[in-house]
Amino acid sequence: MAPVSDKYFSLEEARSLLPRIRESMGQAIEASHLMRGFSEEIKVLGENAVNNAGSPAGTAYLQHLLELTSHVSAIQDTGCLVKSVEDGLVDFPHLMDGREVYLCWRYGEDDIEYWHEVEAGFAGRQPISDS
């Protein structure tokens, strides 16, 4: 099986990035919520696109989309994986006992306290034992 990442984080490295990740994820979540407020207007604009219809809502939607993309890219540029903006999920590739796993963090959690197998996802989260 091919490696999941070129970069692996120690727990200490992942925790040191957390303030930056938390800020970017918070801004990404906010942009995502703002985009949802335009969903009906964007649907109508899409349906009327052949009529070359424009709208301030379309411009605002695109601005929020650019913000969302920028914040997600900032997180992923660190080597982390954004698994869900809606749920605020970020995984940090990690080596545990010689195998690839993910340290798992969810927006709103104070610390990185869980890990899971690569294939298991969020449902397979297990507590980290610092011992």
Side-chain angles (χ1 to χ4, degrees):
M1 185 158 112
V4 295
S5 179
D6 295 337
K7 174 165 180 55
Y8 297 100
F9 294 88
S10 68
L11 182 55
E12 182 179 283
E13 289 171 324
R15 284 177 169 160
S16 74
L17 281 175
L18 203 50
R20 188 166 131 197
I21 301 297
R22 183 180 288 115
E23 181 179 345
S24 290
M25 181 55 78
Q27 292 170 339
I29 290 169
E30 182 179 343
S32 176
H33 285 233
L34 291 169
M35 287 172 58
R36 275 190 232 124
F38 292 101
S39 62
E40 283 304 312
E41 289 179 77
I42 296 303
K43 181 180 176 187
V44 170
L45 285 172
E47 292 167 354
N48 294 321
V50 295
N51 299 326
N52 199 21
S55 165
T59 301
Y61 180 86
L62 289 174
Q63 288 173 333
H64 296 310
L65 177 60
L66 289 171
E67 290 173 25
L68 171 64
T69 303
S70 173
H71 295 302
V72 169
S73 292
I75 294 170
Q76 294 187 154
D77 286 348
T78 66
C80 300
L81 306 169
V82 174
K83 293 300 181 116
S84 170
V85 171
E86 185 174 312
D87 296 319
L89 297 178
V90 177
D91 285 344
F92 300 77
H94 177 73
L95 290 175
M96 180 183 287
D97 300 325
R99 71 183 195 284
E100 296 171 323
V101 299
Y102 291 137
L103 300 175
C104 183
W105 176 78
R106 180 186 221 175
Y107 187 76
E109 293 177 344
D110 292 331
D111 195 8
I112 300 169
E113 299 176 349
Y114 299 94
W115 69 276
H116 61 79
E117 300 288 347
V118 171
E119 300 84 20
F122 184 80
R125 289 188 355 153
Q126 300 177 48
I128 293 171
S129 59
D130 285 326
S131 52

